[in-house]
Amino acid sequence: MKSIFEKILDAEIPAQKVYEDDICAVIRDINPQAPVHLLLFPRKRIESVDAIGPDDLKIVSHLMLTASKVAKMEGLGDGYRIVINNGPSAGQTIDHLHLHILGGKRLGWPPC
Ligand code: 5GP
């Protein structure tokens, strides 16, 4: 079964797309937890951090470079947070690797 992100990539469900290239895409979270809350995910379905394999390292590096690029595009020069929920106890609900990019306000720490 396709993940939500695969359905978004295939235009089967709508999303506010902020950025895309041949490796990844960035959309706005449907339930934002900050003024800016983006989801960055690879086109390739990697289920979680634990599922990243040696062949995926180029993709993962690209995600980090893209996070920085998109954060600048969104005006988050003052700072932003990248979150990856890995596994159900951490709150992962979509089994397709994704980075949350949060910003646009002063973010509290610790996060929980
Ligand atoms: P997770 O809980 O897996 O770390 O993050 C999943 C995120 O996806 C949540 O923040 C949730 O609000 C968001 N989300 C779930 N379904 C959709 C959807 O259909 N469209 C968009 N744009 N975001 C979604």
Short mmCIF file of all heavy atoms in Angstrom, two decimals, residues 18-19 26 28 36 38 40 64-82 101-103:
data_model
loop_
_atom_site.label_atom_id
_atom_site.label_comp_id
_atom_site.label_asym_id
_atom_site.label_seq_id
_atom_site.Cartn_x
_atom_site.Cartn_y
_atom_site.Cartn_z
N VAL A 18 5.88 22.95 -1.25
CA VAL A 18 6.78 24.10 -1.10
C VAL A 18 8.00 23.95 -2.00
O VAL A 18 8.56 24.92 -2.49
CB VAL A 18 7.22 24.19 0.39
CG1 VAL A 18 8.32 25.20 0.58
CG2 VAL A 18 6.02 24.50 1.27
N TYR A 19 8.39 22.69 -2.23
CA TYR A 19 9.62 22.44 -2.99
C TYR A 19 9.60 20.99 -3.46
O TYR A 19 9.04 20.11 -2.77
CB TYR A 19 10.85 22.65 -2.08
CG TYR A 19 12.16 22.28 -2.73
CD1 TYR A 19 12.85 23.19 -3.52
CD2 TYR A 19 12.70 21.00 -2.56
CE1 TYR A 19 14.05 22.83 -4.13
CE2 TYR A 19 13.89 20.64 -3.17
CZ TYR A 19 14.56 21.56 -3.96
OH TYR A 19 15.74 21.21 -4.56
N VAL A 26 8.85 18.69 -0.40
CA VAL A 26 8.54 19.37 0.87
C VAL A 26 7.12 19.91 0.78
O VAL A 26 6.76 20.56 -0.20
CB VAL A 26 9.51 20.55 1.13
CG1 VAL A 26 9.21 21.19 2.47
CG2 VAL A 26 10.97 20.09 1.06
N ARG A 28 3.59 21.47 3.30
CA ARG A 28 3.19 22.03 4.61
C ARG A 28 2.40 20.97 5.39
O ARG A 28 1.56 20.29 4.81
CB ARG A 28 2.33 23.29 4.42
CG ARG A 28 3.10 24.41 3.80
CD ARG A 28 2.46 25.77 3.91
NE ARG A 28 3.19 26.68 3.04
CZ ARG A 28 4.37 27.24 3.33
NH1 ARG A 28 4.92 27.01 4.50
NH2 ARG A 28 4.98 28.03 2.46
N VAL A 36 5.62 27.95 10.95
CA VAL A 36 6.10 27.21 9.78
C VAL A 36 6.30 25.75 10.22
O VAL A 36 7.04 25.49 11.18
CB VAL A 36 7.43 27.78 9.24
CG1 VAL A 36 7.93 26.94 8.07
CG2 VAL A 36 7.27 29.24 8.82
N LEU A 38 6.91 22.24 8.11
CA LEU A 38 7.06 21.58 6.82
C LEU A 38 7.40 20.11 7.03
O LEU A 38 7.97 19.73 8.06
CB LEU A 38 8.20 22.24 6.03
CG LEU A 38 8.12 23.76 5.84
CD1 LEU A 38 9.39 24.26 5.16
CD2 LEU A 38 6.89 24.16 5.04
N LEU A 40 9.49 17.15 5.02
CA LEU A 40 10.45 16.90 3.94
C LEU A 40 10.66 15.39 3.84
O LEU A 40 10.99 14.74 4.85
CB LEU A 40 11.76 17.62 4.28
CG LEU A 40 13.06 17.27 3.59
CD1 LEU A 40 12.96 17.39 2.09
CD2 LEU A 40 14.15 18.18 4.10
N MET A 64 19.22 16.67 4.20
CA MET A 64 19.76 17.69 5.12
C MET A 64 20.07 18.99 4.38
O MET A 64 19.76 20.09 4.86
CB MET A 64 21.03 17.17 5.82
CG MET A 64 20.81 15.92 6.65
SD MET A 64 19.44 16.04 7.82
CE MET A 64 20.07 17.25 8.96
N LEU A 65 20.68 18.87 3.21
CA LEU A 65 20.97 20.09 2.42
C LEU A 65 19.67 20.79 2.03
O LEU A 65 19.58 22.02 2.05
CB LEU A 65 21.76 19.71 1.16
CG LEU A 65 23.19 19.23 1.38
CD1 LEU A 65 23.80 18.74 0.06
CD2 LEU A 65 24.05 20.32 1.99
N THR A 66 18.66 19.99 1.70
CA THR A 66 17.38 20.58 1.29
C THR A 66 16.67 21.23 2.47
O THR A 66 16.03 22.28 2.32
CB THR A 66 16.48 19.49 0.66
OG1 THR A 66 17.19 18.89 -0.42
CG2 THR A 66 15.18 20.09 0.14
N ALA A 67 16.80 20.64 3.65
CA ALA A 67 16.20 21.25 4.85
C ALA A 67 16.73 22.65 5.04
O ALA A 67 15.97 23.61 5.27
CB ALA A 67 16.48 20.38 6.08
N SER A 68 18.03 22.81 4.93
CA SER A 68 18.64 24.13 5.10
C SER A 68 18.18 25.09 4.00
O SER A 68 17.84 26.25 4.27
CB SER A 68 20.16 23.97 5.09
OG SER A 68 20.78 25.23 5.11
N LYS A 69 18.15 24.60 2.79
CA LYS A 69 17.72 25.44 1.65
C LYS A 69 16.28 25.92 1.81
O LYS A 69 15.98 27.10 1.67
CB LYS A 69 17.87 24.62 0.36
CG LYS A 69 17.45 25.35 -0.90
CD LYS A 69 18.14 24.75 -2.10
CE LYS A 69 17.31 23.83 -2.92
NZ LYS A 69 18.03 23.30 -4.08
N VAL A 70 15.40 25.00 2.17
CA VAL A 70 13.98 25.34 2.29
C VAL A 70 13.75 26.25 3.51
O VAL A 70 12.91 27.16 3.46
CB VAL A 70 13.13 24.05 2.35
CG1 VAL A 70 11.70 24.36 2.69
CG2 VAL A 70 13.21 23.32 1.03
N ALA A 71 14.47 26.01 4.58
CA ALA A 71 14.34 26.87 5.76
C ALA A 71 14.68 28.32 5.39
O ALA A 71 13.99 29.26 5.80
CB ALA A 71 15.24 26.37 6.89
N LYS A 72 15.72 28.50 4.60
CA LYS A 72 16.08 29.86 4.15
C LYS A 72 14.97 30.42 3.28
O LYS A 72 14.58 31.58 3.41
CB LYS A 72 17.39 29.83 3.38
CG LYS A 72 18.61 29.63 4.26
CD LYS A 72 19.92 29.85 3.50
CE LYS A 72 21.11 29.47 4.36
NZ LYS A 72 21.51 28.05 4.22
N MET A 73 14.45 29.60 2.36
CA MET A 73 13.35 30.04 1.48
C MET A 73 12.15 30.51 2.29
O MET A 73 11.41 31.41 1.91
CB MET A 73 12.89 28.88 0.58
CG MET A 73 13.76 28.60 -0.62
SD MET A 73 13.38 26.97 -1.37
CE MET A 73 11.63 27.03 -1.56
N GLU A 74 11.94 29.87 3.46
CA GLU A 74 10.77 30.17 4.30
C GLU A 74 11.06 31.29 5.31
O GLU A 74 10.23 31.57 6.18
CB GLU A 74 10.34 28.91 5.05
CG GLU A 74 9.70 27.87 4.14
CD GLU A 74 8.28 28.24 3.72
OE1 GLU A 74 7.46 28.58 4.58
OE2 GLU A 74 8.00 28.20 2.51
N GLY A 75 12.25 31.87 5.24
CA GLY A 75 12.59 32.99 6.11
C GLY A 75 12.94 32.58 7.53
O GLY A 75 12.75 33.36 8.47
N LEU A 76 13.46 31.37 7.71
CA LEU A 76 13.78 30.88 9.05
C LEU A 76 15.24 31.09 9.40
O LEU A 76 15.85 30.27 10.09
CB LEU A 76 13.41 29.39 9.16
CG LEU A 76 11.94 29.05 8.88
CD1 LEU A 76 11.71 27.54 9.01
CD2 LEU A 76 11.03 29.82 9.82
N GLY A 77 15.79 32.22 8.95
CA GLY A 77 17.22 32.49 9.17
C GLY A 77 17.60 32.55 10.63
O GLY A 77 18.75 32.31 11.00
N ASP A 78 16.65 32.90 11.51
CA ASP A 78 16.93 33.01 12.94
C ASP A 78 17.03 31.66 13.63
O ASP A 78 17.44 31.58 14.78
CB ASP A 78 15.80 33.79 13.63
CG ASP A 78 16.09 35.27 13.64
OD1 ASP A 78 17.13 35.67 13.09
OD2 ASP A 78 15.27 36.02 14.20
N GLY A 79 16.57 30.62 12.97
CA GLY A 79 16.67 29.29 13.57
C GLY A 79 15.42 28.48 13.31
O GLY A 79 14.33 29.02 13.07
N TYR A 80 15.61 27.20 13.33
CA TYR A 80 14.50 26.27 13.09
C TYR A 80 14.88 24.94 13.71
O TYR A 80 16.04 24.72 14.09
CB TYR A 80 14.21 26.13 11.58
CG TYR A 80 15.40 25.70 10.76
CD1 TYR A 80 15.65 24.35 10.49
CD2 TYR A 80 16.31 26.64 10.28
CE1 TYR A 80 16.75 23.96 9.75
CE2 TYR A 80 17.42 26.26 9.55
CZ TYR A 80 17.63 24.92 9.28
OH TYR A 80 18.73 24.54 8.56
N ARG A 81 13.92 24.08 13.82
CA ARG A 81 14.17 22.76 14.40
C ARG A 81 13.84 21.68 13.38
O ARG A 81 12.83 21.77 12.67
CB ARG A 81 13.32 22.56 15.66
CG ARG A 81 13.60 21.24 16.36
CD ARG A 81 13.00 21.22 17.75
NE ARG A 81 13.65 22.20 18.60
CZ ARG A 81 13.12 22.75 19.69
NH1 ARG A 81 11.91 22.39 20.08
NH2 ARG A 81 13.79 23.63 20.41
N ILE A 82 14.69 20.66 13.32
CA ILE A 82 14.42 19.48 12.50
C ILE A 82 14.12 18.34 13.46
O ILE A 82 14.89 18.08 14.39
CB ILE A 82 15.64 19.12 11.63
CG1 ILE A 82 15.92 20.24 10.62
CG2 ILE A 82 15.41 17.79 10.91
CD1 ILE A 82 17.22 20.06 9.85
N ILE A 101 10.24 20.21 9.75
CA ILE A 101 11.00 21.46 9.87
C ILE A 101 10.06 22.47 10.51
O ILE A 101 9.00 22.78 9.96
CB ILE A 101 11.47 21.97 8.49
CG1 ILE A 101 12.35 20.93 7.82
CG2 ILE A 101 12.21 23.30 8.63
CD1 ILE A 101 12.67 21.26 6.36
N LEU A 102 10.44 22.92 11.71
CA LEU A 102 9.56 23.77 12.51
C LEU A 102 10.24 25.09 12.79
O LEU A 102 11.43 25.13 13.14
CB LEU A 102 9.24 23.09 13.83
CG LEU A 102 8.50 21.75 13.72
CD1 LEU A 102 9.01 20.76 14.75
CD2 LEU A 102 7.01 21.95 13.85
N GLY A 103 9.49 26.18 12.70
CA GLY A 103 10.07 27.48 13.00
C GLY A 103 9.03 28.57 12.90
O GLY A 103 7.84 28.32 12.79
#
